[in-house]
Amino acid sequence: MHADVVAELTGARLAFGERVLWDKLDLSVQAGEFIAVLGPNGTGKTSLLKVLLGQLPLTAGNVMVCGQPVEKGSRRIGYVPQHRAIENGVSLRGCDLVGLGFDGHRWGMTTLRDRAAKRAAVQRAMDQVKGGALANVPVGVMSGGELQRVRIAQALTTDPVLLLCDEPLLNLDPANARLVSTLIDARRRDADTAVLFVTHEVNPVLPYVDRVLYLVDGRFRVGTVEEVMTSATLSELYRADIEVVKVGERYVVLGEHDHSAHASGHDHE
């Protein structure tokens, strides 16, 4: 892994009125690094991605991407949203949805050269998710796994150095969750793209994760999976009796949902 820092938060604080989502967060994301962002609902996992996308200002501290202050619409950042179905009546095809990733933030006239560049970028991105056969399929009739592959391709059209994934496995069956995880991992290995991967469960991405950022009620811990996914660490974060059991290659967290039920709102997730 290269030592190039792709994104950096220093002394970062995010608060909504009296409610502090996190404070004094220092996180340095290196090229090619895969970081899983874990924690119960309402602890600011999605908000962290919005800060890096320039959509949400920090309350205190600094955030940089590629050594520059964050800006909205940066082509250096790819974003894979939470999986949601698209209605059957939508006339967009797979290649149209992917193309929005290339020029969705641009306005004005396009030249022949622009259109050629876009076609090449869409083709490249589709190839990376093995989605060539989906180019002319209406997005409204795609399966959950197919649609999520197209959304990943959309995020890759600008050849990003940082890929932000907001629960991309939500509502996918285990086979498609594995496929999507594998595709994202392949991209970071092939292009040295850093990945911040918000997920409710570490198990589907366990083979790929370099470090974990675990957020709970304003507290956090950053470290390897072995360092963070322990009974002692999670009990300290939740301030409750949490037991982590490793079964084969899977981590089972007992007691987590009992203590995070009060934080299940999505208002500032």
Side-chain angles (χ1 to χ4, degrees):
M1 190 192 306
H2 296 311
D4 306 335
V5 175
V6 170
E8 191 160 33
L9 292 118
T10 48
R13 174 186 176 93
L14 188 65
F16 295 95
E18 296 293 302
R19 184 160 173 243
V20 178
L21 291 184
W22 24 267
D23 192 14
K24 299 188 177 78
L25 175 59
D26 294 328
L27 181 67
S28 188
V29 184
Q30 297 183 319
E33 190 173 22
F34 193 122
I35 297 179
V37 184
L38 300 170
N41 287 338
T43 54
K45 301 189 298 292
T46 295
S47 295
L48 174 65
L49 302 190
K50 287 181 176 176
V51 164
L52 288 162
L53 287 165
Q55 296 173 356
L56 202 55
L58 286 173
T59 314
N62 287 301
V63 55
M64 308 282 274
V65 174
C66 298
Q68 303 289 324
V70 294
E71 56 179 5
K72 275 188 189 175
S74 170
R75 295 174 72 81
R76 293 176 167 188
I77 300 177
Y79 175 62
V80 182
Q82 288 187 9
H83 169 64
R84 287 189 178 87
I86 291 179
E87 289 179 15
N88 203 340
V90 175
S91 59
L92 278 180
R93 299 169 300 160
C95 58
D96 301 325
L97 187 62
V98 174
L100 290 175
F102 186 78
D103 60 10
H105 58 287
R106 298 200 305 191
W107 298 93
M109 300 289 287
T110 56
T111 64
L112 280 172
R113 182 182 290 179
D114 290 338
R115 288 199 285 275
K118 177 178 174 177
R119 266 198 309 276
V122 168
Q123 178 75 53
R124 257 195 321 272
M126 280 295 221
D127 288 346
Q128 286 183 65
V129 300
K130 302 177 175 59
L134 299 173
N136 292 309
V137 176
V139 294
V141 301
M142 289 183 185
S143 70
E146 289 170 340
L147 185 56
Q148 208 55 343
R149 279 160 63 194
V150 168
R151 285 197 173 112
I152 294 166
Q154 182 186 41
L156 296 180
T157 54
T158 59
D159 197 22
V161 296
L162 176 61
L163 190 60
L164 305 178
C165 305
D166 190 3
E167 296 206 34
L169 310 182
L170 208 60
N171 302 323
L172 294 182
D173 61 68
N176 275 308
R178 271 196 303 277
L179 174 62
V180 166
S181 303
T182 305
L183 290 171
I184 290 170
D185 179 61
R187 163 67 196 195
R188 68 100 175 219
R189 289 182 184 281
D190 294 344
D192 224 17
T193 303
V195 176
L196 271 185
F197 195 104
V198 171
T199 178
H200 263 94
E201 202 192 344
V202 75
N203 290 316
V205 291
L206 202 52
Y208 319 119
V209 172
D210 296 307
R211 284 191 297 159
V212 167
L213 166 61
Y214 208 119
L215 300 164
V216 182
D217 293 340
R219 297 176 293 281
F220 61 87
R221 185 63 60 89
V222 183
T224 64
V225 176
E226 292 78 12
E227 288 167 345
V228 175
M229 299 300 292
T230 68
S231 300
T233 299
L234 293 196
S235 294
E236 187 183 317
L237 278 175
Y238 280 95
R239 292 184 177 163
D241 193 13
I242 304 290
E243 189 177 357
V244 180
V245 182
K246 196 168 184 193
V247 183
E249 291 303 309
R250 293 176 60 81
Y251 285 89
V252 180
V253 181
L254 306 172
E256 172 189 21
H257 300 295
D258 308 332
H259 300 291
S260 61
H262 68 281
S264 61
H266 288 268
D267 47 344
H268 291 310
E269 174 41 325

